[in-house]
Amino acid sequence: MTYFSGIKKVRFEGKDSENPFSFKHYNSKEVVMGKTMEEHLRFAVAYWHTLTGDGSDPFGSGTMIRQWNHLSGMELAKIRVEAAFEFFEKLGVPFFCFHDRDIAPEGDNLRETNKNLDEIIGMIKGHLSTSDVRLLWNTANMFTNPRFVHGAATSNNADVFAYAAAQVKKGLETAKELGSENYVFWGGREGYESLLNTDLEFELDNLARFYHMAVDYAKEIGYTGQFLIEPKPKEPTKHQYDFDAATAISFLQKYDLQNHFKLNIEANHATLAGHTFEHELRVARANGMLGSIDANQGDLLLGWDTDEFPTDLYAVTLAMYEILENDGLGKGGVNFDAKVRRTSFEAEDLFLSHIAGMDTFARGLKVAAKMKENRFFDSIIEERYKSFKEGIGLEITSGKANFKSLEEYALSNEKIENASGRIEFIKSRINDYIF
Ligand code: XUL
Ligand code: CO
C-alpha cells in the first residue's frame, strides 16, 4: 500500500531543474565548511502538521485531501505511521518529531491511553529499525484535552499536575525506547488568562518542581537525550510563562535547572514576542543554550501563530549564521513546525512545502557560510568595538579601571567622537551576498 503514489524519491537536481519534486539547492551530501548539508541541517518533519493536521480553522472544517480521511481511532493512527515513513523516506529527511497525542488517540482512561500509545510506539520502533530515519524529539500534548483548561504543571488543580506528570513520565520512557535525541517542553497552557485569580509565583514554583521531577526521572531510567524548552509569548494563554528566550533562561537559572535544559527556538514564536528569529537565537547562543529550532515563519500582518513554511531567505540566512556561530545545533535540528496553508490541500503540497523549506535553509546555509568565511560580521564588530582594544577601553575590559580613574580620564578628554553605525551599507552588502 502506498499513500503518496504519484511521487518518487525527491532528489537533488540543481537550480535549473524544471521538476518541482526535486531539490534545487538542498544536496544532502554537499560539504559546506567541513560538514555535509545533512549534518548541518538535521531536518525533521512535524507529525502534527503533516500527518495529523486536517486544515481546519476556527471558521471551517478540514480541507486536506488525504488517503486516510475515512478512517478513525486506532485504525487511522496505524495508517498514519505507514504514511509517515513513506513520506519521510521519499522526502529524504533524517528526522521527525511528535506529540504523544499526534500518534495515538486517547482511550477512556490513562491506562487505555497508554495502551494505545504502546501499540503505535511498537509500530514506530519497527519502522525505525529498518529505516535511516530517527526521532529528533517527542513531547507531551498537555493542552488539547479539556482537563488542561487551567494549565498542566501550572494548573491550580493538583490532580491535573499529577496527570501531567504521569504523561511526561510516559513521554520520557517513549523517548528512551525510540532513541529520541531530545525531549521538548513547550508550555502549551502554562500561563495565565488573568492575574485576578492567579498566584503567579506559586505556579512558577510548581513548574520548576515539575521540571526537576522530569530531570530526576530521566536520570533514573537512563535517558540521556537533551531537554529543550520552547519559548512562546502567548497563544493559547494570554500570557505564557516561557515568554521568550531571555525569560526562559532566567527562569531556568533561578530554579537551578540551567544545566539540564537548552532552548528550542521557533521563528514564529520569536516574532509573536516582538523579536526577530535571529534575536532569539542570539540570546540563546550567548547563554550557551541554543539547542534546536522550530523552522517556520509568521505573517507580520497577523497577530497569531500562522506556522508557515520558511521561505524568507533573508531571515533564514541570518538564522543560519547564528547556528554556524553556535558551531551547529548538537543533538538538535531544524524541525519544520510548519503547516501547508488551508488552500494547499493536495497531498502533493506536503512535498512541495517541505522542499521549499529545505531549499531555503540550504541556500541560507550557503550564504551564511560565505559570510562567515569572509569574516563579514566579525570585521564589522571588530571595527565597531575597537575602542576597547587599547587605551582606556583596554583598562575597562582588563579590570584596571574604576569610577575614579574613569572620571579623571573623562575630565581630561575634551572631545568625544562617535563613528557611524553604517546600517544601510551593511544591509546592501547582505543583499549582495544573498543575490
Ligand atoms: C505550538 C508549538 C508546538 C511545539 C511542540 O506553537 O510550536 O507545536 O513545537 O509542542
Ligand atoms: Co513549535
Side-chain angles (χ1 to χ4, degrees):
M1 182 69 187
T2 135
Y3 301 91
F4 304 99
S5 51
I7 294 168
K8 300 195 199 66
K9 185 156 172 56
V10 181
R11 300 193 188 280
F12 171 72
E13 293 182 10
K15 70 179 188 341
D16 298 326
S17 170
E18 299 279 330
N19 175 9
F21 295 94
S22 71
F23 296 117
K24 316 286 182 293
H25 303 277
Y26 177 63
N27 181 1
S28 61
K29 300 293 169 229
E30 184 178 331
V31 174
V32 179
M33 295 192 95
K35 280 201 290 192
T36 63
M37 282 196 179
E38 188 173 56
E39 290 165 335
H40 274 289
L41 295 165
R42 295 166 60 85
F43 287 128
V45 169
Y47 208 97
W48 52 102
H49 287 310
T50 293
L51 280 309
T52 318
D54 65 0
S56 53
D57 71 10
F59 302 92
S61 35
T63 56
M64 297 298 150
I65 302 170
R66 303 286 182 259
Q67 274 206 40
W68 49 84
N69 278 351
H70 59 293
L71 301 173
S72 63
M74 282 299 279
E75 215 187 338
L76 171 61
K78 287 178 194 168
I79 292 301
R80 278 194 183 128
V81 174
E82 302 297 337
F85 277 85
E86 182 187 337
F87 183 75
F88 306 152
E89 278 158 18
K90 283 187 167 168
L91 187 63
V93 280
F95 292 102
F96 71 113
C97 303
F98 64 79
H99 301 82
D100 43 10
R101 307 302 176 242
D102 305 333
I103 60 166
E106 290 200 41
D108 287 340
N109 54 45
L110 183 58
R111 216 176 292 280
E112 263 183 41
T113 298
N114 285 347
K115 207 167 133 251
N116 288 349
L117 207 47
D118 283 336
E119 200 176 338
I120 301 297
I121 290 166
M123 273 183 81
I124 291 179
K125 202 171 174 185
H127 278 281
L128 291 177
S129 70
T130 57
S131 149
D132 291 333
V133 175
R134 288 172 284 158
L135 184 57
L136 186 68
W137 52 260
N138 63 311
T139 185
N141 176 332
M142 303 193 292
F143 43 90
T144 300
N145 192 291
R147 77 175 65 85
F148 299 115
V149 61
H150 297 301
T154 62
S155 173
N156 56 304
N157 183 346
D159 284 357
V160 177
F161 186 104
Y163 192 101
Q167 205 175 320
V168 170
K169 174 178 176 287
K170 181 74 181 162
L172 294 172
E173 289 158 9
T174 306
K176 177 154 195 229
E177 172 101 7
L178 298 180
S180 185
E181 310 225 353
N182 307 269
Y183 187 85
V184 163
F185 295 86
W186 166 60
R189 291 185 191 272
E190 314 292 25
Y192 64 83
E193 203 181 327
S194 170
L195 273 183
L196 300 177
N197 63 359
T198 299
D199 187 340
L200 179 139
E201 212 180 338
F202 178 73
E203 291 197 1
L204 284 166
D205 286 350
N206 264 358
L207 186 58
R209 284 187 187 99
F210 192 91
Y211 287 147
H212 273 290
M213 288 183 205
V215 168
D216 291 346
Y217 190 66
K219 200 164 165 209
E220 191 179 326
I221 63 172
Y223 174 61
T224 55
Q226 174 67 55
F227 276 9
L228 298 168
I229 285 189
E230 185 179 319
K232 185 176 183 182
K234 54 188 164 193
E235 203 198 13
T237 61
K238 188 166 84 176
H239 181 99
Q240 301 267 130
Y241 287 132
D242 299 325
F243 189 94
D244 61 2
T247 313
I249 291 167
S250 74
F251 168 86
L252 291 169
Q253 288 169 344
K254 174 177 175 190
Y255 291 100
D256 198 23
L257 285 158
Q258 70 277 15
N259 296 329
H260 302 288
F261 287 81
K262 285 190 172 172
L263 301 183
N264 182 36
I265 301 292
E266 176 162 331
N268 203 167
H269 295 181
T271 48
L272 286 180
H275 301 308
T276 58
F277 190 21
E278 64 269 22
H279 166 90
E280 286 294 84
L281 294 168
R282 178 73 64 92
V283 170
R285 172 163 84 75
N287 285 279
M289 295 202 121
L290 175 54
S292 200
I293 69 167
D294 267 10
N296 58 19
Q297 68 190 26
D299 184 323
L300 295 181
L301 302 184
L302 303 176
W304 62 91
D305 199 11
T306 57
D307 284 347
E308 295 167 24
F309 274 86
T311 50
D312 178 344
L313 189 49
Y314 201 97
V316 168
T317 298
L318 296 180
M320 279 315 303
Y321 182 78
E322 295 300 326
I323 292 170
L324 288 178
E325 284 289 288
N326 195 56
D327 205 16
L329 291 169
K331 288 186 180 188
V334 175
N335 170 46
F336 289 110
D337 191 352
K339 58 183 176 211
V340 286
R341 299 302 85 195
R342 193 166 186 271
T343 47
S344 302
F345 45 74
E346 294 177 22
E348 289 189 349
D349 289 305
L350 293 176
F351 284 89
L352 297 173
S353 56
H354 281 87
I355 292 169
M358 291 163 83
D359 270 341
T360 304
F361 265 83
R363 293 184 77 178
L365 165 64
K366 284 200 268 191
V367 178
K370 214 178 288 164
M371 286 173 153
K372 193 165 156 58
E373 272 161 0
N374 291 350
R375 304 191 73 257
F376 175 71
F377 287 115
D378 291 325
S379 36
I380 291 168
I381 298 297
E382 275 165 21
E383 174 63 21
R384 188 148 184 261
Y385 293 86
K386 68 177 184 213
S387 70
F388 284 91
K389 290 285 178 227
E390 57 186 14
I392 194 69
L394 190 57
E395 281 183 30
I396 293 170
T397 56
S398 61
K400 286 193 192 124
N402 57 37
F403 268 14
K404 274 198 235 151
S405 70
L406 292 172
E407 182 195 44
E408 201 180 315
Y409 178 85
L411 287 170
S412 68
N413 191 21
E414 291 283 296
K415 198 160 173 253
I416 292 178
E417 275 179 58
N418 273 310
S420 164
R422 299 261 187 272
I423 289 290
E424 299 79 4
F425 171 72
I426 295 169
K427 286 186 177 175
S428 98
R429 291 289 292 121
I430 294 174
N431 283 349
D432 293 339
Y433 271 99
I434 293 177
F435 300 106

